[in-house]
Amino acid sequence: MKKWLKRIVLGVLALILLAIGTIWWLMRGSLPELDGELALAGLSAPVTVQRDANGTVTIDAANETDALRALGYVHAQERYFEMDLMRRMSAGELSELFGAIAVDTDKRQRAHRIRARVEANLDGILDGTRPQAQAYVDGVNAGLGALDVRPWPYLLLRQQPRPWTLPDSAVTGYAMYFDLQDASNHNELAMWKMQPHLPPVLFALLQTDGSRWDAPLMGGARGDAALPGADQVNLRNLPAPTGDHGAFAPDDIVPGSNNFAVASAATKDGRAIVADDMHLGLRAPGIWFRARLRYPDPRAPGGKVDITGFTLPGLPVVVVGSNTHVAWAFTNSYADTADWRIETTCPASGRIDGCVKPVVHRETIRVAGGAPITHEIEETAWGPVLHREGDRMFTLRWNGHVKGALGYGLSRFPLARDLDHALSLADAAAVPTQNLVVGDAKGRIGWRLIGPLAQRDASCTGAQPMTSDVACPPWSIATDRSPSVVDPANARLWTANNRTTDGDALATVGNGGYALGARARQIRDGLLTREKITERDLLAVQLDDRALFLAPWWTLLRDTAASAKTPSLAKLADASKRWEGRASVDSVSYRIVREWRLAVLARIADGLTAPARAKLGKDFDMPAFTQLEGVAWPMVTQRPMHLLSRRFESWDELFEDAAKEVFDDLEQIGPLHQRTWGERNTMAICHPLARAIPVLGKRMLCMPADQVPGDGSMPRVVGPAFGASERMVVSPGREAEGITHMPGGQSGHPLSPFWGAGHDDWVKGRPTPFLPGETRYTMTLKPGK
């Protein structure tokens, strides 16, 4: 018996070792070759691909087409699964990979018919770049095919990767539309639902579009709201729902970015410097891929292109970077890009005035492990039907749906000669509308929007859904109508998803839900207080975690606790009595004050929307109210009883109730005085499939769980899985002095030397070179089969 048991145990161990060895062999088989010579069909001449210790790629080619073919090859070998996810998310094709669990997501996404729109408008999207775009696609498929084993995620999912196509690159570009704009236009619809149930003066208060924190490039700060008097509105006399309060979950983090620049008059040695940190959801590997492309081109200054920056795997362009003549950077603009229209469906028989019969599109959703699903999408001339109430259709017109929303004009930026040339090239670039900041080697800087703006007719009242009696024709879009600021008198530019314009320019751009201006103001002031600025100075602005925005709230908490003498307020005030003034990982006060402010804002929003919630019940949707600070601060400092939620008898009671919620939540974790911001702001940056592997997934496929300083109301925007997806500080022509960071690493393979490479520099804020470092690996791609 002992012998048999021993044999069985040894046999099981052998099988386990065999399984581990097989998995290891398969995983190793999906790693790309980094050195040596390889054949790549379609090249006109050999291409060298060098990688540094972080995996940053330098591609030297005979021409642009060869360079992009090689870039596609490298993207596929390092990031094919991530490219695949982006195209599938954008097009609503995740079910083909993940099965029935993704069907509902795909149905929502299919309403936008992105793949159909791309295929119908492909020539316009390519905009004369078809040979280069096709070379990139061919390089992608060659790189995928050159792997000994398909990329490891497909082994785990038991799927085969689908080849890349020319439309797939454009579909990937559309994925950024969904990241950066609200394709459901939620806020506009939610405000429209509320309006009939609120007194006009109360509705106007909720529409406040600024605060004392505003820091636009054009015009001045709006200032905080002037509160209406009790003779205008009194919440104490208006209906309010019973039971739980409204589901308002305010936060200080919104998808967006920071970019800023200084001109020659503000720098130490008379040059322009551009800084950029694009804030997105964070994952491993990072969303971007660092690359340097060098090739001769008679159209470029000096007859050659030398461009370094951040590419998006799936697209044959450098998104932001520097070409030694100009450097450019993006932040999300929050322009108004969508309008609802309420249309009446025509009856099955007969016709009524003004009714609309939608076109029905039928699309097939393929489902892994299941039968295909036929999904019907209704669409009118205004846009897809996203919501129905009886015979009323809520149709959405969105920039992303309109012909011309996406184009490869950004691919011409490597040829930009100077500031004026770069700004003119933006006239023909179609991307999700961004704040573009440019600096050139002559020391000049400029700002404008890049991407389409809605060209609404004067009859259009797009701030709320329009009914059929509003004579607003379906609007077109234009990429060459942007306001601009060139050569500013103070030699400084800044944007941080805030309102940048005013007056006629703002009327042209619209308000798509600008972020609170506190972050932009801190950046602006950080630039204005510095002279003889260098790259290190701009990195310091990017890493600024001072809690200037929350400082008044800390004072309010302390003073309120002293006067109210209620238990929860007293406990919070005592635990936060040491104010570090930063969102540092060891700060207890920052965490407590932040949570208390958000709890107070939730109760204020609850009170201001109570009459609408009482009427609408379950049909009520709470808007985001990104500018609520401009209403809340005068309310908490003036404490008008007529604007106090009916749930409370006094403002002190509201403050205490908010404090009790915060105290109870934090005490569940442990003693209040130990609840640091770092405990809350611990990184959870993982590969999309980390949760699919029990026990080992988190260990193998996540970046370290570092505690990182920063938050959404300051320049250093960081959340557990959100923040600066890259940092860049560069002066065109002086790239060797530039600085860069990227979380998550270059490679999507956990066995790669580039998995997580450079991530710790991003965490610690250590300056690392913008240009690729010393070459560690060299691969030569030669023409051939």
Side-chain angles (χ1 to χ4, degrees):
M1 180 63 73
K2 288 182 179 180
K3 288 182 179 180
W4 278 107
L5 285 174
K6 185 177 180 180
R7 290 173 181 173
I8 291 171
V9 170
L10 290 174
V12 170
L13 288 174
L15 289 173
I16 292 173
L17 290 173
L18 179 62
I20 292 172
T22 301
I23 293 170
W24 181 264
W25 176 77
L26 290 171
M27 289 284 286
R28 294 289 302 177
S30 61
L31 282 168
E33 294 287 340
L34 303 179
D35 283 311
E37 295 185 356
L38 297 171
L40 178 56
L43 289 176
S44 66
V47 175
T48 61
V49 179
Q50 301 173 70
R51 290 175 168 92
D52 67 6
N54 287 330
T56 306
V57 170
T58 300
I59 294 174
D60 288 288
N63 52 62
E64 179 187 23
T65 304
D66 283 356
L68 293 177
R69 190 181 300 273
L71 181 65
Y73 186 96
V74 172
H75 276 171
Q77 294 220 316
E78 299 283 12
R79 296 282 193 89
Y80 195 82
F81 179 69
E82 290 73 29
M83 295 165 58
D84 193 12
L85 283 187
M86 289 195 75
R87 68 172 170 178
R88 289 180 182 276
M89 185 285 296
S90 179
E93 297 167 351
L94 292 169
S95 301
E96 188 177 8
L97 198 60
F98 296 107
I101 194 172
V103 167
D104 287 343
T105 300
D106 280 352
K107 285 182 177 180
R108 287 192 298 271
Q109 203 66 18
R110 287 292 179 103
H112 302 284
R113 301 186 62 243
I114 294 302
R115 186 168 291 281
R117 296 182 197 280
V118 164
E119 291 173 353
N121 301 317
L122 187 57
D123 284 341
I125 292 170
L126 294 175
D127 191 19
T129 66
R130 183 179 285 270
Q132 293 77 24
Q134 187 62 56
Y136 175 84
V137 169
D138 293 342
V140 168
N141 289 319
L144 177 64
L147 296 172
D148 292 337
V149 178
R150 64 187 184 271
W152 68 268
Y154 298 99
L155 298 174
L156 182 65
L157 295 170
R158 293 180 294 177
Q159 297 285 348
Q160 291 290 335
R162 194 176 74 193
W164 202 256
T165 67
L166 201 54
D168 285 337
S169 288
V171 170
T172 301
Y174 269 104
M176 298 309 296
Y177 262 98
F178 293 101
D179 260 358
L180 298 170
Q181 296 180 7
D182 180 9
S184 69
N185 204 18
H186 168 264
N187 256 28
E188 189 175 296
L189 191 59
M191 292 294 287
W192 172 79
K193 286 182 179 181
M194 284 199 306
Q195 185 173 10
H197 311 293
L198 296 176
V201 69
L202 181 54
F203 185 76
L205 184 65
L206 288 170
Q207 286 186 303
T208 296
D209 67 348
S211 72
R212 66 197 184 282
W213 295 99
D214 292 345
L217 296 176
M218 299 178 180
R222 290 278 190 268
D224 290 339
L227 300 180
D231 58 332
Q232 297 175 286
V233 62
N234 190 340
L235 294 182
R236 317 298 287 179
N237 300 328
L238 293 175
T242 57
D244 294 338
H245 55 84
F248 181 61
D251 205 340
D252 294 325
I253 292 185
V254 296
S257 312
N258 304 326
N259 66 4
F260 41 100
V262 288
S264 57
T267 59
K268 184 177 181 180
D269 45 12
R271 54 201 172 93
I273 310 176
V274 174
D276 190 35
D277 45 300
M278 297 188 285
H279 308 148
L280 295 166
L282 301 180
R283 68 184 190 200
I287 187 172
W288 309 110
F289 188 89
R290 292 179 59 194
R292 183 180 191 181
L293 308 180
R294 299 187 292 201
Y295 51 87
D297 193 319
R299 301 169 298 171
K304 65 177 182 179
V305 166
D306 182 356
I307 184 170
T308 305
F310 294 86
T311 66
L312 180 66
L315 280 175
V317 297
V318 176
V319 178
V320 296
S322 179
N323 71 351
T324 75
H325 305 283
V326 300
W328 66 96
F330 290 162
T331 71
N332 199 21
S333 69
Y334 284 94
D336 184 4
T337 61
D339 290 331
W340 288 103
R341 195 174 189 94
I342 303 172
E343 302 181 285
T344 302
T345 308
C346 290
S349 60
R351 189 174 182 86
I352 58 176
D353 290 343
C355 74
V356 176
K357 185 176 182 179
V359 175
V360 178
H361 302 279
R362 292 176 176 85
E363 297 202 0
T364 300
I365 298 177
R366 295 180 175 84
V367 183
I373 296 171
T374 299
H375 182 57
E376 293 188 349
I377 301 138
E378 294 180 307
E379 190 168 8
T380 73
W382 189 259
V385 179
L386 298 188
H387 179 61
R388 272 185 174 272
E389 290 182 2
D391 64 352
R392 294 197 307 173
M393 302 179 294
F394 289 75
T395 55
L396 184 70
R397 191 157 192 82
W398 176 43
N399 278 9
H401 296 151
V402 182
K403 184 178 181 179
L406 188 74
Y408 283 9
L410 193 60
S411 65
R412 297 185 177 89
F413 267 57
L415 307 176
R417 300 183 297 271
D418 54 27
L419 174 65
D420 294 331
H421 190 205
L423 295 178
S424 68
L425 289 173
D427 278 344
V431 299
T433 312
Q434 301 288 292
N435 289 297
L436 170 67
V437 167
V438 181
D440 71 12
K442 300 173 185 176
R444 299 176 63 210
I445 60 174
W447 164 89
R448 60 161 289 170
L449 297 178
I450 181 172
L453 294 174
Q455 302 301 295
R456 296 176 174 89
D457 188 80
S459 62
C460 298
T461 55
Q464 291 200 9
M466 292 173 283
T467 52
S468 57
D469 59 334
V470 178
C472 175
W475 38 258
S476 62
I477 55 177
T479 56
D480 59 353
R481 311 288 172 84
S482 170
S484 63
V485 176
V486 179
D487 298 324
N490 63 10
R492 293 158 175 85
L493 291 169
W494 60 91
T495 80
N497 317 123
N498 58 306
R499 176 179 61 85
T500 55
T501 59
D502 210 347
D504 291 342
L506 180 58
T508 299
V509 175
N511 181 353
Y514 296 117
L516 185 69
R519 180 160 41 97
R521 177 170 146 179
Q522 195 161 329
I523 292 170
R524 179 200 67 186
D525 294 349
L527 297 176
L528 292 174
T529 56
R530 287 175 164 87
E531 299 292 341
K532 299 182 178 179
I533 295 171
T534 67
E535 284 87 351
R536 293 294 182 103
D537 291 319
L538 294 194
L539 177 62
V541 173
Q542 290 180 321
L543 298 177
D544 183 3
D545 60 10
R546 290 175 300 149
L548 304 183
F549 171 67
L550 275 189
W553 284 88
W554 174 74
T555 301
L556 179 69
L557 172 60
R558 182 191 61 189
D559 293 347
T560 304
S563 62
K565 302 187 186 313
T566 50
S568 298
L569 279 168
K571 291 171 184 175
L572 295 193
D574 182 66
S576 64
K577 61 187 176 185
R578 179 172 175 266
W579 177 244
E580 294 86 355
R582 316 186 80 91
S584 55
V585 296
D586 60 345
S587 178
V588 173
S589 61
Y590 182 84
R591 183 176 186 181
I592 288 175
V593 173
R594 181 187 192 272
E595 296 303 316
W596 182 68
R597 171 187 171 267
L598 294 179
V600 169
L601 259 63
R603 284 152 179 79
I604 289 174
D606 168 60
L608 296 177
T609 61
R613 290 190 297 108
K615 294 288 186 180
L616 292 170
K618 292 182 179 179
D619 290 333
F620 175 82
D621 287 321
M622 184 69 81
F625 293 133
T626 55
Q627 301 296 330
L628 186 59
E629 174 71 16
V631 176
W633 186 251
M635 287 178 66
V636 299
T637 51
Q638 299 173 31
R639 305 185 187 184
M641 284 300 298
H642 62 283
L643 295 179
L644 176 66
S645 168
R646 286 180 55 180
R647 292 177 53 216
F648 307 104
E649 294 301 319
S650 69
W651 279 96
D652 282 346
E653 184 183 338
L654 183 150
F655 296 144
E656 171 65 13
D657 188 66
K660 185 177 186 305
E661 179 185 295
V662 173
F663 175 78
D664 290 346
D665 288 346
L666 296 181
E667 276 285 314
Q668 288 182 11
I669 306 171
L672 186 63
H673 67 278
Q674 296 177 7
R675 306 280 64 79
T676 64
W677 176 239
E679 179 184 64
R680 159 67 172 74
N681 216 38
T682 298
M683 297 299 95
I685 302 172
C686 298
H687 189 278
L689 296 182
R691 294 183 180 180
I693 303 176
V695 184
L696 294 178
K698 186 174 181 180
R699 179 176 298 180
M700 293 175 57
L701 299 177
C702 294
M703 296 296 105
D706 296 299
Q707 296 185 358
V708 181
D711 196 14
S713 61
M714 57 197 60
R716 188 171 190 171
V717 173
V718 185
F722 187 90
S725 60
E726 53 78 52
R727 292 192 190 103
M728 175 183 80
V729 183
V730 62
S731 175
R734 303 278 286 273
E735 285 79 8
E737 299 169 47
I739 299 168
T740 196
H741 290 144
M742 190 177 78
Q746 282 272 89
S747 176
H749 201 302
L751 300 183
S752 168
F754 313 130
W755 171 261
H759 178 82
D760 194 58
D761 295 324
W762 175 85
V763 170
K764 302 296 195 305
R766 285 190 294 263
T768 54
F770 175 75
L771 289 178
E774 179 183 351
T775 299
R776 297 289 184 89
Y777 307 92
T778 302
M779 176 174 64
T780 302
L781 299 173
K782 292 190 171 182
K785 296 183 179 179

